[in-house]
């Protein structure tokens, strides 16, 4: 197992950002598959299956130990494959130990609170994995790209200064540090898709009846802001990638590759927690021995 964990760590490493200084999005190619070619796809699928199995056993220990929690955050442009990645990567694990929360446009009640409020309510308990499909990071992405969302937030005007994004990044860094210090580990995944591949996937959604439901005209609208989103994503990673709460900038033009990198990142996170099943004390061992004896007595 140790060897496998090491391999997973190495696979995810080129995409892990633990210090945002000097990070540039253009250094990561959305079409990257490391040295794997499309004929290696079956091997990558096998690695994914093995990864999912390993994830299941780590999750079992996380749950039994009931000390750590794990928060996984997924951010991306539309059609980058967040939903599919979450579905595949989590397919083998016990549904009792995982919660997935999508964050869409905030409700009236959400807007009556500070921006972290709705996310705080959904944080994972100890022993569990919490998945945020979009998150408080939207507060530095869509809200930054579209000024009208910020205007709707009912903030006292004197607090809306030119420093607002810098302030938000600081809030987020402090919030994540607080969580990590409380035993909630954090890994953040940005699925980095190219504009060309997004176009291909949008066309597929338009042309394939079983995918029509996934397409919304507003997705096309957001595509017009591609450059601004790119800048916002880059700044977000620069400002919030830390050793304890790293970003993984995952090439997302090839789904088979994206999923392997994500599963590797999640395994690495769990493996770094040194999980183990709770040890049973002397008294409990005696009790178990007595139960065994009672159950194996004739006539029981
Ligand atoms: P997704 O687009 O994540 O696959 P979806 O299409 O099912 O999910 P949408 O109705 O598109 O769901 O909701 C996601 C939208 O909500 C995104 O466009 C996102 O930018 C927006 N959103 C999320 N958080 C916020 C926020 N804090 N303020 C404004 N808009 C937000
Ligand atoms: Mg959408």
């Amino acid at each position: 197992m140790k060897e496998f964990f090491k391999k997973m760590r190495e696979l995810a490493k080129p995409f892990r950002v633990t210090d945002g200084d000097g990070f540039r999005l253009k250094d990561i190619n959305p079409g990257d598959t490391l040295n794997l070619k499309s004929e290696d796809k079956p091997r990558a699928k096998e690695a994914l299956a093995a990864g999912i199995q390993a994830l299941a056993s780590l999750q079992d220990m996380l749950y039994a130990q009931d000390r750590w929690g794990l928060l996984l955050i997924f951010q991306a442009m539309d059609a980058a494959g967040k939903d599919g990645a979450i579905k595949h990567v989590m397919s083998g694990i016990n549904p009792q130990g995982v919660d997935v929360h999508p964050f869409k446009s905030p409700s009236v009640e959400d807007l009556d609170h500070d921006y972290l409020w709705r996310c705080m309510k959904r944080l994972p308990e100890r022993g569990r994995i919490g998945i945020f499909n979009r998150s408080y990071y939207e507060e530095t992405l869509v809200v930054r790209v579209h000024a009208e969302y910020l205007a709707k937030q009912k903030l006292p005007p004197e607090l809306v200064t030119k420093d607002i994004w810098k302030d938000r990044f600081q809030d987020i860094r402090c919030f994540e540090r607080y969580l990590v210090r409380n035993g909630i580990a954090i890994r953040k995944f940005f699925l980095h898709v190219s504009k060309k591949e997004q176009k291909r996937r949008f066309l597929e959604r338009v042309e394939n009846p079983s995918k029509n439901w996934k397409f919304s005209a507003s997705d096309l609208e957001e595509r017009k802001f591609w450059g601004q989103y790119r800048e916002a994503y880059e700044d977000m990673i620069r400002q919030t990638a830390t050793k304890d709460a790293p970003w993984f900038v995952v090439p997302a033009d090839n789904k088979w590759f994206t999923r392997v990198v994500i599963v590797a990142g999640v395994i690495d996170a769990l493996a770094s927690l040194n999980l183990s099943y709770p040890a049973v004390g002397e008294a409990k061992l005696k009790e178990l021995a007595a139960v065994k004896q009672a159950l194996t007595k004739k006539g029981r």
Side-chain angles (χ1 to χ4, degrees), residues 8-17 28 32 34 248-249:
M8 291 282 124
R9 162 167 277 244
E10 275 160 20
L11 178 65
K13 201 173 165 198
F15 310 108
R16 192 179 63 202
V17 188
I28 310 270
D32 192 8
L34 288 174
F248 288 88
V249 181

Side-chain angles (χ1 to χ4, degrees), residues 136-176:
Y136 44 83
Y137 279 104
E138 291 292 335
E139 298 292 337
T140 71
L141 296 166
V142 67
V143 179
R144 191 173 187 181
V145 171
H146 297 286
E148 62 273 24
Y149 286 122
L150 187 62
K152 274 194 219 152
Q153 294 195 345
K154 297 172 73 178
L155 288 160
E158 59 269 40
L159 298 183
V160 184
T161 71
K162 66 173 184 18
D163 288 332
I164 188 157
W165 311 115
K166 208 173 104 212
D167 293 348
R168 286 191 170 188
F169 288 132
Q170 190 183 43
D171 296 338
I172 290 174
R173 283 195 304 268
C174 291
F175 174 62
E176 292 183 347

Side-chain angles (χ1 to χ4, degrees), residues 78 82-83 103-106 118 134 138-139 142-143 149:
D78 288 306
K82 281 185 286 112
D83 294 20
F103 291 96
K104 309 201 177 208
S105 255
R118 66 174 180 156
R134 302 185 187 269
E138 291 292 335
E139 298 292 337
V142 67
V143 179
Y149 286 122

Side-chain angles (χ1 to χ4, degrees), residues 1-10 46-61 263-264 267-268 270-272 274-275 277:
M1 251 326 180
K2 265 205 175 129
E3 225 10 69
F4 183 72
F5 290 164
K6 210 172 124 202
K7 267 199 192 139
M8 291 282 124
R9 162 167 277 244
E10 275 160 20
E46 271 169 38
L48 181 63
I52 289 170
Q53 220 174 13
L55 199 60
S57 42
L58 286 164
Q59 183 218 8
D60 201 47
M61 268 191 273
V263 91
I267 287 179
D268 185 42
L270 288 170
S272 72
N274 289 321
L275 300 171
Y277 286 104

Side-chain angles (χ1 to χ4, degrees), residues 70-71 73 136 176 179-180 184-188 244-246:
L70 177 63
L71 173 63
I73 290 182
Y136 44 83
E176 292 183 347
L179 290 178
V180 170
I184 308 299
I186 305 171
R187 293 296 183 274
K188 305 173 294 200
D244 284 331

